[in-house]
Each structure stands twice: as structure tokens, then as C-alpha cells.
Amino acid sequence: MAERPTMKDVARAAGVSLMTVSRVVAGEAGVAPQTAARVEEAIRTLGYQRNDIARNLRRKAQDSRTIGLVVDDLANPFFSALARSVEDEAYRRGFLVLVGSTNDDPRRERDVVSAFCARQVDGLVLVPTGGNRAFFRAQMARGVKVVCVDRPAAGLPVDCVAVDNRAGAGTAVRHLLVHGHRRIAYLGDRQEIWTQRERFAGYEEALAAAGLAVDTALVRHGLRGHQEAAAAIGELMASSAPPTALFSGNDLVTLGAVEAGASRRFALVGFDDFLLADKLNPPVSVVSQDPAALGRTAAQLLFGRIDGDDAAPRSVVLETRFVDRGSGGKVGEMAEAAKVVEVAGTGKVAEVAELAGTGEAGE
Amino acid sequence: MAERPTMKDVARAAGVSLMTVSRVVAGEAGVAPQTAARVEEAIRTLGYQRNDIARNLRRKAQDSRTIGLVVDDLANPFFSALARSVEDEAYRRGFLVLVGSTNDDPRRERDVVSAFCARQVDGLVLVPTGGNRAFFRAQMARGVKVVCVDRPAAGLPVDCVAVDNRAGAGTAVRHLLVHGHRRIAYLGDRQEIWTQRERFAGYEEALAAAGLAVDTALVRHGLRGHQEAAAAIGELMASSAPPTALFSGNDLVTLGAVEAGASRRFALVGFDDFLLADKLNPPVSVVSQDPAALGRTAAQLLFGRIDGDDAAPRSVVLETRFVDRGSGGKVGEMAEAAKVVEVAGTGKVAEVAELAGTGEAGE
DNA sequence: GTGAAAGCGCTAACAC
DNA sequence: GTGTTAGCGCTTTCAC
């Protein structure tokens, strides 16, 4: 457990003062070439590396060149893609990234953010949970810059990067309505999450615009993870008055729907695209957003703030794209859609997936 | 941009000495209740939060309570699952996690690790690239603990957590051999990556044990990402002497194979399980490993080392599991397998996916 | 060009 | 119980 050598050690070894070592390490001009060489030599033989923590403590520009990234769940593909792009932006600028998952738990969010701030992060890219407004206000008063991504933090005057969830959901639900569906179920994560509220609102509005009321028997909130979603969808499928179509509020719920076999019995459109969505049978139509673009934009905004931009908080709305892969049709139409996609996809294998009609699905 | 208040400010506001504030903040005993109350009050009104960086600089136990996590690509589902479990272990112990992706580039790895060490991390969970041996040796001499995960760092005497890639690959290839395949292609990522070398070795050994030579026309290395893999597989499919079966060296390559439609023309077994593998047509058989278990185990080893465990380096080999979903059969058999899986899976929808026989696939 | 002194925000060690 | 002094590893400032 060799102690890490300090500048003092290097100075002694090179027979110079501590200050000279500091200058050499910092790459400052004004050190005689031979002196510098002696210092470099000592650095090499001792294996010295500067302690950037001590350095930052004293520097004029009291920035730590570290940001915090706080997401709901780093293991979720959506957030990990977002995280990677934040990290890339930080790397380009020579910043380090502290990372933490909240599990959508305001207490853990508070723990994590508090620890980050105690480590003097210059800023935070934050996927906020529902709570902790006052807490963040206090941190910001201390000079920590905050940019929200994916969701705004209600009542916090900070930059935010997100998509128009309500409009995206509306598009999805209208797509189902156009295909003749009237009994459209909504399955989503907790309503405490802003994106879920927005997407549900888009669902409600699209139904209302079509003169339809929301049937609460067809609505399930609070589904955390794909297993929970699959179970809920199983119940729905077994009920006496099942829907003919499903709109799912995020990628995990869509996954659960696919796992439960719902995409074969019902029309299905999900929010968030996911890997292999186009290779399923039937391929799943989605409202797609770009997590890497969200992360990149949020990071750019944050670094702008860190660099001194003190304009009024900005809200950036990124695009959502409806990707029609055929799963939004009636079940009878879906086989056709699958056929077309497959032929176009491989250019070779022509086939039709035979679907067992369930009788319930055709409205 | 209010300056962050310091203990000095709190001390002045509460009319006590700096030391008393330090004691209150640290929760030490031996402060009179009323004095403590006055200090707490001052802390609240000033919005004081301790600067843990300055704290760590002076503390006896010179640990930063921060670890670094360095993976190939945080956006890759395998690594993000691993990252999440490392982060959970760290959170449980009150450690923070600095995170970085290397892109399998030794230079970026060096940059990132160097910056982490300059920030005095207590240890590193590392998915090593091929290079930088001497560099790591130097860091470890300075007291930074290192645990490798997913791959060992050749020549570095450190703990390592990984699966038996060679054996897993052997199982996969033998499975294909048992099903009568003799022209089995190997598609993998760069050979510089240890896991890829091991998996290829397992492929070679299994073929050799069956008295078969490796046909280099059926081998592709260096496939980064699923698009590259899909393109390479497309070429293979279009060649005059295509294989009848594919063994893919990681999840991304398997994904590429599925995207290229290879799983419908050839038998396919992939290394690494992936979301929805069981919902594809045909469902894809895989050699499965548990990235969360890898991360958790690595983190536990690392914290053991940080807590002073200085036993000889340990190598932990985690289990691999062959998940037979039917895609390893001959194409004729695959339809049967798909049928069985579907019936068992949904319990409701009985169906047979019709596959267009290509004539080439049956050996 | 180089160095001595002061101090960043905090804790360790000891005094009172 | 509380305060004083010293110092973590480094940079700033200013002297020579």
C-alpha cells in the first residue's frame, strides 16, 4: 500500500522547491529547461501523479470539472443510452461524471444528489423524481447548475429537455382509432412520473376528441418493470370485456405486453422504440424518441450554464416520431402488414405468419 | 451565484468556534445540546452543506469513498446492467461512482482511469481494453485497488470476475453439431477482446473434437455493433458456399444476425442472452450470463480489497447457462420448436410459424 | 527563473 | 464542552 507521493516528495527528490514542481506539472512557462527535466525525471521515478482534489480546493476557478448524472434506472436501455451520450459530452470537455440511479425514489434521489453536491459537482443532469423541490432550490442557490432531462421538475426554474409526450401519445391513440379500435387500453408506469401523466393525458384527449369516454376498466397505472406489466396485461386479456387495442406508456410496459403475448391478440402501439421491435411478430409500432439526443442536448445546455450562461431557463422540446410497423391495425390486417414487412426486410424469404384468430380481437 | 457558505461562516453566525461546527456536522458527541441547536439553526439559515472534498483531504482514513467504473460502452445493455449493480453495491456502502466508457480504445481508457486516479478513487471496477498494462501497475502501486470484470487484464495481478467463455462457446457449438450442422460460421467482435478470443477458441476446440477443421471463409472477426454484424452476415448469406449454422460471439452480433434475417435461414446460437430473444421467430437459443451478478460480485470483491483484504488475487468464474429455444436445430426442426415454445409460453394461442425452406439449410 | 508565505475548507491532536 | 494550533496537497501572491 505504498503512499502516493506528493509534490513535496518530488521537490525533495529533484532538489527544487515545491513551487517549481507545481509549475512543471501545470505545464506553466518560466521554468528553465534543465530544471524542468530534473523535475520530470523525479516525477517518473517516483510515479507521481497530481492530486486533482487538492488542486481544485485551492484554485481560483473553484470548479471541480465534475458533473452528476442522476437517472431513474441506469440498467434501463433508454437511460443507459442517455447516460452514454452525457458521458461523451463530458469526456469531450474534460469533465468527469458521477452517476446514480434513483429507482424513482425521492429519498434515494436526495441521498445521491446531496452526496454529489457535497463533492462539489459543477452541475447535474437530472431525471427528476416527483419530490424534493425545496431541496434542489437550496442546492441551486449554492451555485450548482441543474438541467432536467426526460421530465421537468415541477416548480424548479431550470432548463429542461424532453419530447412532447402528450402529442406523441395522441398520435399513437389516433392511429388506433383510425384503424377502427374503440376499446383501447392504457397501461403505464406510475402517474407520479410526469411523462406518464402526459402520455395518459394524450390518450384521454385523443379519446375525447373521438367522442369516447375513458373506460377505467381498461386503464392500469403504476406498472414498474416488464414483469409487472406482463401480469397486468394477462389479467386484462382474461377479463370478460377485454380491449381490442393497447397503448403502452413506456418501453418496459410494451415489453411486458409483448411477453404476455398481447401483440398477437390485440393491436398494440407503445411509447419508446426498442431493439428488435421490428423483428417481432407482428412488428410493433411505436412512438419513438432519441435518448442519445436528449442526453447530448441536456449536457450541452448544462455546460453552457457552467460556462456562465445565465439567461432565463430554457425548455427544449425534441421530436417524437411515429414508427408504423403494422401492429396498430386490427388483428386481421396485421398478418398482411407482417407479410409486407418481411418481404421488404429480407428480400428473399416470403412468408405469412398465421395468426390464430381469437374472435375477440376484431372489435 | 451565491458562494457556498463554509464552516467559518456558520461558526461566525452561531457565535462558536469552527471546531464546534465541525463536531456538530460530523455528529460527534460532546457538544452541549443548546450549543448544537444554535449551530443547527445557523446551518439551516445559511443553507450550509459540508464540503466532503476538503473533508477527505484532511481525514486520517484517506479514502475518498469513491470508486471508478470503466466499461466498454455504457449504452450496451450488458454493460449497463453490470453498471447498475455496481452502483447499487456502492450506494449501499455510501460510496460514489465515477463512470466512463472506453469504446475499447486503450487511449480513452488511459485518459479516463488517469483522471479517476487523479481524483483519488479508492478503487476501480474495470472492463479492460487490451493495452495499458504498465500504466495500471503504476496506479496500483499508488494504492488504487483494481478488480477486472468480464475480462482479465493480461499480466495484471488483480481479482477478476468472468464466466467460462470457452466452455460456454463449446456448449453452443456442440449443440449445433449434435443437430447435424457441419458448416458452422463464427461471427464475433475484435479478437483483441479476451472474451472474443476465448469464445472463438471454444468454437475451434468443439469443431476439432468433432474432427472438423475451421473454414476461414466462415469466420468473421472485428464486428463492432449490430449494423456491422448484419452487413457481414448479409455477405455470408449471399456467398456461394454459405454455412448452415451461425455461432455469434456477443449480443450485438446476435442482434445483427437477427436483423439480417439469418435466424430464419440458418440455425443460430448466440453468446449473451438479450431481451425478447424468446419472442422472436424463431426464438433464439443463447449462452446466457448474468451481467448484474458479474457487477455485484466485482463490486463486492473491490470493497473487500478497499477494506484491507490483501490476499492473493482471486479469479471468480461465474456460471454460464445454455438456453435452448430451438434456433439451434436444423431449419426443418425449427418450426416444431417454435410451435412448442409458443404453446407453452402463452397457454392460449396455438400456432405454427411457417418457414419457407431454403434448401440450403438442411446441411 | 525560483522560492517563501499564506490559505482553500476541513479534521486531528491537544489544550483549557 | 469548547477552542487553538497545525496541516492534508496544492495554488496564489509576491518577493528576490
Side-chain angles (χ1 to χ4, degrees):
Chain A
M1 200 127 341
E3 288 304 305
R4 312 192 197 203
T6 73
M7 272 193 184
K8 213 152 118 188
D9 302 322
V10 176
R12 187 164 28 226
V16 295
S17 83
L18 206 158
M19 230 4 255
T20 302
V21 179
S22 175
R23 290 196 179 100
V24 172
V25 172
E28 279 177 23
V31 178
Q34 337 157 17
T35 319
R38 271 217 324 286
V39 171
E40 308 257 24
E41 174 60 23
I43 287 175
R44 223 171 351 244
T45 58
L46 289 179
Y48 171 76
Q49 185 179 21
R50 180 174 60 200
N51 180 337
D52 277 354
I53 285 193
R55 169 183 164 86
N56 286 332
L57 191 59
R58 190 62 177 93
R59 278 185 3 166
K60 195 81 230 181
Q62 282 252 111
D63 59 339
S64 62
R65 300 192 78 74
T66 304
I67 62 169
L69 169 63
V70 182
V71 298
D72 185 336
D73 174 15
L74 194 56
N76 179 318
F78 179 84
F79 293 119
S80 68
L82 191 157
R84 174 65 206 264
S85 66
V86 169
E87 191 229 316
D88 278 342
E89 279 299 314
Y91 178 70
R92 285 189 37 217
R93 290 175 161 79
F95 275 67
L96 296 188
V97 180
L98 282 167
V99 73
S101 299
T102 62
N103 259 348
D104 200 46
D105 172 0
R107 234 184 41 225
R108 180 156 168 175
E109 176 184 46
R110 215 192 140 108
D111 278 3
V112 166
V113 169
S114 181
F116 286 5
C117 292
R119 290 308 212 292
Q120 312 298 106
V121 293
D122 298 326
L124 290 170
V125 172
L126 178 70
V127 177
T129 68
N132 291 334
R133 259 170 290 292
F135 170 69
F136 280 111
R137 230 182 263 282
Q139 294 297 354
M140 292 174 59
R142 261 169 245 149
V144 180
K145 314 293 183 187
V146 177
V147 172
C148 287
V149 63
D150 185 52
R151 333 164 176 166
L156 265 195
V158 299
D159 293 338
C160 178
V161 185
V163 299
D164 189 338
N165 290 277
R166 196 181 288 228
T171 304
V173 174
R174 275 193 301 280
H175 176 80
L176 291 168
L177 289 166
V178 164
H179 280 273
H181 292 284
R182 291 298 174 266
R183 294 183 55 72
I184 303 174
Y186 170 88
L187 295 123
D189 199 342
R190 296 196 193 148
Q191 283 193 281
E192 283 73 27
I193 301 173
W194 178 80
T195 56
Q196 301 300 299
R197 281 203 304 280
E198 283 295 302
R199 292 170 194 174
F200 183 62
Y203 162 85
E204 288 182 309
E205 288 172 8
L207 289 188
L212 296 173
V214 171
D215 179 352
T216 55
L218 299 181
V219 171
R220 292 279 193 291
H221 293 293
L223 304 172
R224 297 290 291 170
H226 55 113
Q227 286 104 332
E228 248 183 85
I233 290 155
E235 280 175 29
L236 216 53
M237 288 168 71
S239 77
S240 56
T244 70
L246 257 51
F247 170 57
S248 55
N250 69 25
D251 49 355
L252 264 30
V253 175
T254 312
L255 237 49
V258 171
E259 280 166 10
S263 60
R264 309 194 145 203
R265 270 187 67 187
F266 308 129
L268 172 64
V269 176
F271 211 109
D272 295 332
D273 204 354
F274 55 99
L275 236 38
L276 295 174
D278 57 329
K279 294 299 167 190
L280 294 170
N281 181 11
V284 176
S285 300
V286 298
V287 179
S288 160
Q289 55 177 330
D290 182 348
L294 284 166
R296 195 182 326 116
T297 310
Q300 286 164 350
L301 275 174
L302 180 61
F303 287 118
R305 295 300 185 177
I306 290 173
D307 291 344
D309 172 5
D310 59 353
R314 268 185 286 276
S315 216
V316 178
V317 177
L318 259 39
E319 262 187 15
T320 224
R321 204 163 46 85
F322 183 70
V323 183
D324 188 356
R325 301 195 175 106
S327 67
K330 295 209 195 176
V331 171
E333 302 167 33
M334 281 170 16
E336 279 304 307
K339 176 183 174 184
V340 171
V341 167
E342 286 307 320
V343 172
T346 69
K348 294 212 168 176
V349 182
E351 63 171 324
V352 178
E354 287 190 352
L355 286 157
T358 60
E360 303 154 308
E363 197 182 17
Chain B
M1 212 110 348
E3 288 303 306
R4 312 192 196 203
T6 73
M7 273 194 182
K8 214 151 118 187
D9 300 323
V10 176
R12 189 163 29 228
V16 296
S17 83
L18 208 160
M19 220 21 240
T20 302
V21 178
S22 176
R23 291 195 178 102
V24 171
V25 171
E28 279 176 21
V31 178
Q34 336 157 19
T35 319
R38 270 218 323 286
V39 172
E40 308 258 23
E41 174 60 23
I43 287 175
R44 222 168 355 242
T45 58
L46 288 179
Y48 170 76
Q49 184 179 20
R50 181 174 60 199
N51 180 339
D52 277 354
I53 285 193
R55 170 184 164 86
N56 286 333
L57 190 59
R58 191 60 180 94
R59 276 177 15 154
K60 194 76 229 186
Q62 282 252 113
D63 59 339
S64 62
R65 300 191 76 74
T66 304
I67 62 170
L69 169 64
V70 181
V71 297
D72 185 338
D73 174 14
L74 195 56
N76 178 317
F78 179 84
F79 293 118
S80 67
L82 192 157
R84 173 65 205 263
S85 67
V86 169
E87 192 230 316
D88 278 343
E89 280 299 315
Y91 177 70
R92 285 189 36 217
R93 290 174 160 81
F95 275 67
L96 296 190
V97 180
L98 283 166
V99 74
S101 300
T102 62
N103 259 350
D104 200 46
D105 172 0
R107 234 185 39 226
R108 181 155 168 176
E109 175 183 46
R110 215 192 140 107
D111 279 3
V112 166
V113 169
S114 181
F116 285 6
C117 291
R119 289 308 213 293
Q120 311 300 105
V121 293
D122 298 327
L124 290 170
V125 172
L126 178 69
V127 177
T129 67
N132 289 336
R133 258 170 289 291
F135 170 69
F136 281 111
R137 232 182 261 281
Q139 293 298 353
M140 291 175 59
R142 262 170 244 148
V144 179
K145 314 293 183 188
V146 177
V147 172
C148 287
V149 63
D150 185 51
R151 333 165 176 165
L156 265 195
V158 299
D159 294 337
C160 178
V161 185
V163 299
D164 189 339
N165 290 278
R166 194 180 289 228
T171 304
V173 174
R174 275 193 301 280
H175 176 80
L176 292 168
L177 289 166
V178 164
H179 280 273
H181 293 284
R182 291 297 174 266
R183 295 184 55 72
I184 303 173
Y186 170 87
L187 295 123
D189 199 340
R190 296 195 194 147
Q191 283 193 282
E192 283 72 28
I193 301 173
W194 178 81
T195 56
Q196 301 300 298
R197 281 202 305 280
E198 284 294 303
R199 292 169 196 174
F200 183 62
Y203 162 85
E204 288 183 309
E205 288 172 8
L207 289 189
L212 297 173
V214 171
D215 179 352
T216 54
L218 298 181
V219 172
R220 293 278 193 292
H221 294 293
L223 305 171
R224 297 290 291 171
H226 56 110
Q227 287 104 333
E228 248 183 83
I233 290 156
E235 282 175 30
L236 217 54
M237 288 168 71
S239 77
S240 55
T244 68
L246 258 50
F247 169 57
S248 55
N250 69 25
D251 49 355
L252 264 30
V253 175
T254 312
L255 238 48
V258 171
E259 279 166 11
S263 60
R264 309 194 145 206
R265 267 187 70 186
F266 308 129
L268 172 64
V269 177
F271 211 109
D272 295 332
D273 204 355
F274 55 98
L275 237 38
L276 295 175
D278 57 328
K279 294 300 167 190
L280 294 170
N281 182 11
V284 176
S285 301
V286 298
V287 179
S288 160
Q289 56 177 330
D290 182 349
L294 284 167
R296 196 182 325 115
T297 310
Q300 285 164 351
L301 276 175
L302 180 61
F303 287 118
R305 295 299 185 178
I306 290 173
D307 291 345
D309 173 5
D310 58 353
R314 268 185 286 275
S315 215
V316 178
V317 178
L318 259 39
E319 263 187 16
T320 223
R321 204 163 45 86
F322 183 70
V323 183
D324 187 357
R325 301 195 175 105
S327 67
K330 297 209 195 177
V331 170
E333 302 167 33
M334 281 169 19
E336 279 304 308
K339 175 182 174 184
V340 171
V341 167
E342 286 307 318
V343 172
T346 68
K348 294 210 167 178
V349 182
E351 63 171 321
V352 178
E354 287 190 352
L355 286 157
T358 59
E360 303 154 309
E363 195 179 18

